[in-house]
Amino acid sequence: MKPWLQLVLLTCICLFWQTEAEFFTSIGQMTDLIYAEKDLVQSLKEYIRAEESKLSQIKSWAEKMDVLTSKSASDPEGYLAHPVNAYKLVKRLNTDWLELENLVLQDTTNGFIANLTIQRQFFPTEEDETGAAKALMRLQDTYKLDPETLSRGNLPVGDCFGMGKTAYNDGDYYHTVLWMEQALKQHDEGEDTTVSKVEILDYLSYAVFQFGDLHRATELTRRLISLDSTHERAGSNLRYFEKLLEKEREDKSLNKTVAPTEPVVQGGAYERPLDYLPERDIYEALCRGEGVKMTPRRQKRLFCRYHDGNRNPHLLIAPFKEEDEWDSPHIVRYYDVMSDEEIEKIKQLAKPRLARATVRDPKTGVLTVASYRVSKSSWLEEDDDPVVAKVNRRMQQITGLTVKTAELLQVANYGMGGQYEPHFDFSRKDEPDAFKRLGTGNRVATFLNYMSDVEAGGATVFPDFGAAIWPKKGTAVFWYNLFRSGEGDYRTRHAACPVLVGCKWVSNKWFHERGNEFLRPCGRTEVD
């Protein structure tokens, strides 16, 4: 590859990847890695063709010289008696062999190595690999997928071991056990791998011990030592485990109360530890489509209608189809809100600006990244393109709320296992300064556009009252976050479920109080 071409390529790539990496947080940006890898494969094939051409020339030369030297060596004096043969021998040794040497020393790797060096600067990082592994574990937990099911998607022993190691390094012994057991199972079945059973058993035995399963930890450690009797850590662990077991037997013989060494087991696996999210089980059940509290009484209160924005002149001729998704709090879905052309344009505008999605720190009001929100987002202004202004006006016409005090149009793309765990869109009493910098009051309502269908997962769920709303391209859902009093409706705590299969694109508009003071819902209604 010529130096000037390398410079042009590097400049183009730098312009294209102007945002930070974190590829795992956006499927939209991960698709670009497909094309980068395809380009590397083409470059590698060009290198192979060049190398094969070079070897072909060398082979041809060797065959030619083999015939010639066999003839000359059979009768050296007779061969050199002919002056032309003598001349050609001198010429070959002085010139031709030198040319062959140059051919052999010719470096055909330059183009491939140059391309690889340039592309490598924009490869996923260790953080991406860790994030991708955690995403698989999140999908595994949310949708109740066992490691064997996931590994059927072509996860060999080495990958299963890598998943377990990532969990181990994060202090997550629950997933360490699950993935190391799967790695051991595939290893025992004879799968080819560079990972040894000793390595797997080393991690697995210690993780099992962390769950208090002393008997199994001892058993696994003994198996490890039977494979490698010189393993110092395993030997030390075994002596420690056996000492604990001996003490347990002594305490039992003396009828002393001893701490149980048998762990809590669910369905043949160790119990998943509790975490910081109190409604975790409800949230994940809703993501799987379970536990939705749609009673017959409630169903009768849900209707479909044409919506003209309270006789908005722009919608009288072409009203929007409106469907009730939930009665209290009232959540509605609008159909055909965005056309395919508008969606593609919005995605095109947003993609180069995508950055790790942030949340507002309740204490400082400053935006920061959080592990419970895995996506990338960008903010579009009306000056960016006429389509942005057009979509903003449409949301204003549908809701009757002014966009003058609303936040910019936020576009989000969810990555591997992309999610946003249960959260409130409005600021609570204990975080009064969350939107102080904006100077437009609290978030009165949320308008959420679905810009893609999702093959599996990706629902918007409300754990408080058990609703699950599934993405449909071109539709939008809308709800109020505040009562007329300005008090927050805590029932609207919601979440974006992890995307299991597919690519999820959404855009949303948060309407604020200023200019919309008299447009909040009148009160709170409870329905069975």
Side-chain angles (χ1 to χ4, degrees), residues 409-525:
L409 183 67
Q410 181 181 221
V411 182
N413 177 228
Y414 290 81
M416 288 187 60
Q419 64 161 3
Y420 192 176
E421 290 182 352
H423 62 281
F424 298 100
D425 280 352
F426 63 91
S427 66
R428 275 75 67 210
K429 293 178 180 178
D430 59 347
E431 47 180 25
D433 296 333
F435 304 117
K436 186 176 181 180
R437 294 185 179 188
L438 300 179
T440 53
N442 212 340
R443 287 173 175 168
V444 67
T446 298
F447 196 101
L448 177 63
N449 297 295
Y450 293 118
M451 303 201 304
S452 65
D453 293 313
V454 179
E455 293 179 53
T460 304
V461 299
F462 295 78
D464 183 82
F465 49 90
I469 299 173
W470 303 93
K472 293 179 184 177
K473 185 178 181 181
T475 71
V477 292
F478 173 78
W479 67 86
Y480 280 96
N481 298 305
L482 307 179
F483 294 111
R484 184 174 289 279
S485 63
E487 179 188 354
D489 188 344
Y490 283 77
R491 298 171 300 170
T492 61
R493 181 172 168 87
H494 61 286
C497 294
V499 176
L500 180 58
V501 181
C503 181
K504 182 181 178 183
W505 284 88
V506 298
S507 62
N508 69 277
K509 175 70 72 173
W510 280 307
F511 293 95
H512 280 248
E513 291 180 286
R514 297 296 175 265
N516 297 309
E517 288 86 351
F518 301 105
L519 296 173
R520 293 191 288 261
C522 293
R524 175 173 179 155
T525 304

